[in-house]
Amino acid sequence: MTAHDFEDLLRELTPQVLAALVHRHGQFDACEDAVQEALSDAVRQWPVDGVPDNPRSWLLTAAGRSLVDAWRSDSARRRREVMVAALETSAEVAGQDDTVLLLFLCCHPALSPPSQLALTLRAAGGLTTAEIATAFLVPEATMAQRISRAKQRIRTAGARFELPPEAERPERLGVVLHVLYLMFNEGYTASSGPELSRADLTAEAIRLTRVLRQLLPGECEVAGLLALMLLTDARRPARTDSAGAIVPLAGQRRDLWDAVMIAEGVALVERTLGTGPIGPYQLQAAIAAVHDEALTADATDWPQILALYDVLVQVAPGPVVTLSRAVAVAAVHGPRAGLAVLGTLAGDDRIMLGHRLEAVRAHLLEQAGDLVAARETYSRAARMTASLPEQRYLTLRAAGLST
Amino acid sequence: MKYMIMMFGGIGTTLENRTPDWITGMQDHMMKLDQELRDSGELVASSKLIDPSQAKTVRFQNGVPVPTDGPFAEIKESLAGYWIIDATEERALEVAARVVEYTEFPMEVRQVMHL
């Protein structure tokens, strides 16, 4: 078993073992600590002694023991619970279904999105605090604090380890999907720092969404989100050149795109669209599919993309959708028409979009032949971004227009 | 000894009227130097800061701290990024010289004080 398989196995088992423990004892925070202990035992022992025959029950036993130790040192009052825990650790581990309950718990609305993300990565994803800290470029102590506060907050909010009531379920599922989407984006476009993508986060987001899709096969938006991630991540190898510089979609070498991921994503979109209520993830996946299916940038079916954006602005209006739609409008009706769409954005939205708005505006101005304004706008966008690769790209675009 | 090597200005002022080749060359130059400092183990820390035009300055006004837009110093004198390296002063000056040689902008080298 390679180190990679080994990690995969642990990540797959983590939510199952944690869910089983929480199911039995409640006390999400104590159980989560115990599972982390068990994971570090596994990381230490398995490479030496070999992977046990039943790794799940091994982890469950180790976590149960660690829970008992924690309680024992906690106080003698808990003696009875200790007995119960010790007796029950050999019982059967809960099935994968509990992973959904865990995701609902980690994405509890009482938590801020960064806390939801961190907790999901640790409790459902089985990443260590150190790995999560590295992924978010913060010190490990900061991340440990964030996770422990999140767990406290879940306890004080009185959250229960069960499916939310029927009436709340669509909204709660929406939060889970949003957290997975954020996790993917955080990995795909690192919000700061020198590296443009952090593959570990995107891989984890895809893996968890895949699990969710298996458990909730009838939910169209889950399928839509998975398809969107696959169709987007498929372009990763072409997004940067050998020097690490950004390559925009139109200039990417399409032979570098991952054909297997594209095929899976396209099939998912085709199988899902029209079988249930349409949502923003399905629409974005459909748009990504149209891009990915074009053999060259010029062959892109822009009228179809624009039609999909026209639906998306109805279903899920927002400044980012308006911005993307402006690009499609420009491709179909010309750059001036695209610029006119940008002109409809309200002041608050402009501030929220920041350098992204200026970058799109600069591209459209360049297409419209207004090179002086384009150059100035690229420079402004470069001054506004906090991403080094984006800053390099925008600076070079500006310099390329100065003659 | 630890030394902080500081760059000033923002991309607006530093890269104005430069050709794409000059910019690419500078980026290569900086990345190579950065890698060299990492590989040799001399690098303690390094960061680039967002353009100073995006800075906010908190000032004490009428008895209360008030945040205002813009950097404290002139943009061309505002900190843009730094390296902290564990090396001799001679080496720190050499590193700074290799950047200045390309950019023709001044850099500052200061020893980091002990605790």
Side-chain angles (χ1 to χ4, degrees), chain A residues 243 375 379-380 382-386 388 391-393 395-396 399-402, chain B residues 11-12 15-20 23-24 27-28 31 48-51 53-54:
Chain A
R375 185 180 161 217
S379 298
R380 190 172 334 121
R383 288 197 295 273
M384 289 165 80
T385 180
L388 268 175
Q391 191 186 70
R392 287 195 193 111
Y393 169 77
T395 308
L396 278 176
L401 295 179
S402 55
Chain B
I11 47 163
L15 302 179
E16 217 164 331
N17 301 319
R18 301 291 188 179
T19 64
I23 294 169
T24 312
Q27 284 163 353
D28 288 350
M31 279 197 285
K48 276 201 78 181
L49 306 182
I50 200 164
D51 192 81
S53 61
Q54 306 299 307

Side-chain angles (χ1 to χ4, degrees), chain A residues 46-74:
Chain A
W46 293 5
V48 183
D49 304 341
V51 176
D53 292 338
N54 188 340
R56 260 209 283 202
S57 51
W58 190 100
L59 281 172
L60 189 67
T61 307
R65 211 180 285 134
S66 151
L67 194 60
V68 168
D69 286 347
W71 279 340
R72 203 172 268 150
S73 61
D74 224 15

Side-chain angles (χ1 to χ4, degrees), chain A residues 99-109 113 116-117 120 124 164 168-186 201-202 204-229 268 272 277-285 315:
Chain A
T99 304
V100 177
L101 299 188
L102 259 191
L103 283 171
F104 274 120
L105 199 61
C106 295
C107 302
H108 195 274
Q116 291 169 339
L117 251 183
T120 303
E168 288 175 28
R169 222 167 287 167
E171 201 183 326
R172 293 288 301 274
L173 180 62
V175 178
V176 172
L177 292 180
H178 185 63
V179 166
L180 293 171
Y181 182 65
L182 282 181
M183 189 188 297
F184 179 83
N185 274 338
E186 190 59 37
L201 281 182
T202 55
E204 192 52 28
I206 290 175
R207 194 185 69 77
L208 286 173
T209 310
R210 233 185 243 289
V211 172
L212 196 58
R213 152 108 181 120
Q214 279 164 14
L215 303 175
L216 304 173
E219 292 285 348
C220 294
E221 279 294 86
V222 177
L225 179 59
L226 178 58
L228 174 61
M229 287 175 175
L268 254 178
T272 308
I278 192 88
Y281 295 121
Q282 292 166 75
L283 284 164
Q284 290 179 78
V315 174

